[in-house]
Amino acid sequence: AGGDPQADRQLTRAMASASVTAVPRAYGPLAFLVSSGAEVLYGVARLVAAAALIIELGVILITVTERSFLGHALLWGDEASRLALSVLTFIGGAAAYRGAHHSAVRLVTDRMAPAMRQAVGIGIEWLVLLVSATAAWQSIGVLQASWQDLTPMLQISTGWIALPVTV
């Protein structure tokens, strides 16, 4: 990495024994700034996903309670649930991927030889980048088309429901 052969050997051994692909640590102020920014963004994404989950659970609890005791459900519950689930799916999914909480991939890669695991890990990273970039690019049109439409009850733009795909 930095010209130290012993450090390079230790890094190579650590990468070979890791269950997920290890990334060599970059040095310098720009690398520190990017790394710190990524950590902050990861924390924000986790908080947003947690808030969406709490909101979704609250809407479900209120809807079930109201339906049980009053015989009808919230009129705005479906719209709030769609927004919360959109945030939870796309923002929470990105945070879960960043945190390496994708057990289906690890189920397969943990059984591979270290060199194969690293090669597959790199391929998976590129595939995720390609699919994410394509989805974000294609969602811009959906976002533009839906931004003018309003939901019937909450009267918010339906673009808010499509926005997490783009983000």
Side-chain angles (χ1 to χ4, degrees):
D4 181 7
Q6 184 175 3
D8 289 346
R9 282 192 296 276
Q10 288 174 342
L11 178 62
T12 303
R13 271 182 271 168
M15 288 175 68
S17 66
S19 63
V20 294
T21 306
V23 178
R25 187 115 176 116
Y27 299 101
L30 181 61
F32 175 75
L33 185 64
V34 169
S35 176
S36 298
E39 287 300 318
V40 168
L41 190 60
Y42 173 55
V44 169
R46 291 180 60 185
L47 286 174
V48 168
L53 180 61
I54 290 169
I55 290 168
E56 175 64 17
L57 291 174
V59 168
I60 290 171
L61 180 63
I62 291 168
T63 301
V64 168
T65 303
E66 188 172 357
R67 187 175 288 150
S68 296
F69 292 117
L70 302 176
H72 59 82
L74 297 172
L75 297 175
W76 52 268
D78 181 53
E79 295 171 10
S81 289
R82 285 190 325 187
L83 178 59
L85 286 175
S86 177
V87 169
L88 189 59
T89 300
F90 294 103
I91 305 296
Y97 183 80
R98 161 64 176 82
H101 300 296
H102 41 81
S103 59
V105 173
R106 296 224 14 223
L107 179 70
V108 175
T109 58
D110 284 352
R111 289 170 172 69
M112 295 178 177
M116 183 67 161
R117 183 182 313 133
Q118 185 176 9
V120 168
I122 291 169
I124 289 171
E125 295 294 328
W126 279 105
L127 180 63
V128 167
L129 179 65
L130 178 68
V131 169
S132 298
T134 302
W137 178 258
Q138 293 299 316
S139 71
I140 291 172
V142 173
L143 190 60
Q144 290 172 339
S146 66
W147 203 259
Q148 300 302 318
D149 298 334
L150 298 176
T151 61
M153 291 297 132
L154 293 177
Q155 292 294 301
I156 61 171
S157 170
T158 56
W160 287 108
I161 296 169
L163 186 63
V165 180
T166 307
V167 173

